Amino acid sequence: MKILHTADVHLCDYEDERWKSLEHIIDIGKSENIDLFVISGDLFDEDVKSEVLRSKIRGLFSNNEFITVIIPGNHDSKSFSEDLYFGEEVVILTDLNKPYEYNDVCVWGFPFEPISGEEFFRKIKSISSKLDTAKTNILLFHGELVDTFYSPSDFGDEGEVRYMPAKLSYFKNLGFDYILSGHFHSKFDLYEFEDNKYFVYPGSPVSITKKETGQRKVNLFEIGNAPSEYLLDTPHFIELQIKINPFEKMNPIEHIKEELQKVHPQAKVILKVTGYINSKLIGITEKELANQLKDALNDKVIERHFEVRDISRILEDELFKSFLKKLQEKNYSQEKKNELIDLTIKAMMEVVK
């Protein structure tokens, strides 16, 4: 039995990049012949979006060969009343005491509530006696794992508020085999809270904020195996840092263009260009380089930071030349030599005018 798990899609508008990302995930479910598609909260960015998009989303969740199971998150906690229709093969879990059973798997849903960690633990412990240990028990959870360090930005634009905090120890010895979670945006994150029992955040399937960098992922696994990450071809931010070498004779712009050609087609690049140039060697001033960079950037670059400095005066200084000659005679690794050159350049910046 195969399960595809995501969370935090934060749908806003029909056929925008988030909508298309959900379509892409459903296509993966079809091609991978999954049995269950799990969305662990925050399918919608806010409750009003569910009202606008519900009639459209029925098409995505109908006529599939798999069941879609959804729990509400903190952003769409009021979007899933029992009388609403989301599609032919959709199961909405809003009551912790009413699981969904599929063959030898029992799926329990704990939708978001504004409760403390202690209250959360009390509630999940209260249902542990109801678990059929002959089956695989899965808990869907939308909240914050507090065992490890996360910054507020890892959960999107949530601020400093705690959202149904939980600890890994809460899930031990209760009978759950998988905790399929949502709310943590930044990346795919996996923990083994008992032998062969797993807690997993898939991360947001499309970057919601600039803190969510790197190619996005979902969780695709077979029952009995550990959750595993599956790369998505969806929009995402990346931080690309390019350091200019002042000893290179070529125009740095060509190097930057080459690096930009390598990024994923769906990437939105936050570009940071650092390092040094020797304007006398390449025949380009700081200002000219900055202008050339601006003209050379493609539409993948959504933010740029230019921190390059011309150090031609340092490189032409006799003291620096003497240092460089002696350094090349040393049997250091190239990494060590580069480190020493960088330190020397920074030191001489303070004195060479």
Side-chain angles (χ1 to χ4, degrees):
M1 180 172 171
K2 191 179 287 187
I3 295 178
L4 179 63
H5 162 221
T6 191
D8 302 291
V9 185
H10 288 269
L11 291 176
C12 285
D13 296 299
Y14 179 56
E15 292 192 332
D16 66 359
E17 64 179 25
R18 299 181 191 182
W19 181 276
K20 291 177 181 178
S21 296
L22 179 59
E23 289 180 324
H24 174 56
I25 296 170
I26 290 173
D27 286 341
I28 291 171
K30 293 175 181 177
S31 64
E32 291 288 338
N33 297 312
I34 65 169
D35 298 281
L36 294 179
F37 175 38
V38 170
I39 303 174
S40 295
D42 284 357
L43 172 61
F44 301 103
D45 192 57
E46 53 184 330
D47 291 311
V48 68
K49 299 299 182 182
S50 70
E51 291 297 319
V52 174
L53 296 173
R54 188 167 61 254
S55 62
K56 297 290 186 181
I57 210 166
R58 291 169 189 154
L60 292 182
F61 292 155
S62 298
N63 302 312
N64 297 321
E65 297 298 322
F66 52 82
I67 302 297
T68 298
V69 185
I70 305 172
I71 62 167
N74 58 294
H75 276 258
D76 55 9
S77 60
K78 299 178 182 178
S79 297
F80 300 97
S81 63
E82 293 183 358
D83 58 339
L84 298 180
Y85 176 62
F86 285 88
E88 289 292 340
E89 295 92 20
V90 177
V91 175
I92 307 295
L93 298 179
T94 58
D95 188 338
L96 181 59
N97 293 289
K98 296 179 180 179
Y100 170 67
E101 296 191 32
Y102 185 97
N103 296 333
D104 292 329
V105 171
C106 192
V107 183
W108 303 78
F110 201 135
F112 171 77
E113 295 181 38
I115 57 177
S116 67
E118 291 76 11
E119 179 66 8
F120 169 78
F121 177 59
R122 186 190 66 77
K123 286 193 173 188
I124 59 168
K125 190 174 182 181
S126 70
I127 66 164
S128 61
S129 61
K130 301 177 183 179
L131 271 57
D132 183 350
T133 55
K135 296 186 175 184
T136 298
N137 288 280
I138 298 173
L139 178 67
L140 309 189
F141 164 69
H142 189 90
E144 183 176 349
L145 189 65
V146 297
D147 296 70
T148 55
F149 174 76
Y150 297 128
S151 69
S153 62
D154 289 321
F155 301 97
D157 296 322
E158 306 292 3
E160 300 291 338
V161 179
R162 288 288 193 191
Y163 286 83
M164 206 158 70
K167 297 179 180 180
L168 285 177
S169 60
Y170 290 176
F171 305 109
K172 289 184 178 180
N173 304 314
L174 294 184
F176 293 110
D177 299 285
Y178 298 94
I179 314 297
L180 303 184
S181 307
H183 190 58
F184 175 69
H185 286 206
S186 293
K187 60 185 176 67
F188 185 99
D189 223 350
L190 174 65
Y191 302 92
E192 190 172 12
F193 61 90
E194 287 185 67
D195 288 343
N196 301 315
K197 296 187 176 185
Y198 305 95
F199 180 107
V200 58
Y201 281 124
S204 58
V206 56
S207 292
I208 307 300
T209 71
K210 291 179 182 178
K211 293 290 185 180
E212 296 156 44
T213 57
Q215 194 170 350
R216 312 314 296 161
K217 302 169 184 177
V218 287
N219 172 24
L220 178 65
F221 69 102
E222 292 185 7
I223 292 297
N225 295 334
S228 61
E229 53 191 48
Y230 187 107
L231 286 171
L232 298 175
D233 291 322
T234 56
H236 57 278
F237 296 105
I238 66 166
E239 295 177 349
L240 179 60
Q241 182 165 323
I242 299 175
K243 187 173 182 179
I244 305 301
N245 184 347
F247 302 103
E248 291 285 345
K249 295 182 180 180
M250 68 178 290
N251 188 330
I253 296 298
E254 297 305 314
H255 174 55
I256 294 168
K257 287 181 178 179
E258 290 176 4
E259 292 301 310
L260 286 173
Q261 287 295 322
K262 297 176 184 177
V263 304
H264 190 279
Q266 295 271 29
K268 302 176 183 180
V269 181
I270 302 169
L271 177 65
K272 186 176 183 180
V273 184
T274 64
Y276 311 104
I277 61 168
N278 183 344
S279 58
K280 293 184 178 180
L281 179 66
I282 63 175
I284 301 172
T285 66
E286 279 183 9
K287 186 175 181 179
E288 289 170 339
L289 181 61
N291 289 334
Q292 287 186 21
L293 175 62
K294 183 179 179 180
D295 294 338
L297 298 183
N298 56 34
D299 56 5
K300 292 179 182 179
V301 179
I302 54 107
E303 186 177 309
R304 65 185 175 93
H305 303 273
F306 184 74
E307 300 178 8
V308 177
R309 297 179 65 171
D310 179 11
I311 57 167
S312 56
R313 285 175 293 182
I314 292 174
L315 299 179
E316 297 301 318
D317 187 271
E318 292 302 321
L319 180 60
F320 183 81
K321 289 181 178 180
S322 175
F323 157 76
L324 200 59
K325 182 179 179 181
K326 291 180 179 179
L327 180 63
Q328 299 307 324
E329 296 171 355
K330 299 293 184 181
N331 190 27
Y332 295 149
S333 67
Q334 190 58 50
E335 183 180 359
K336 180 66 174 179
K337 289 179 179 179
N338 290 341
E339 182 182 344
L340 291 172
I341 290 171
D342 197 52
L343 288 172
T344 303
I345 289 172
K346 289 178 180 177
M348 292 188 70
M349 280 180 179
E350 302 295 325
V351 295
V352 176
K353 303 299 182 182

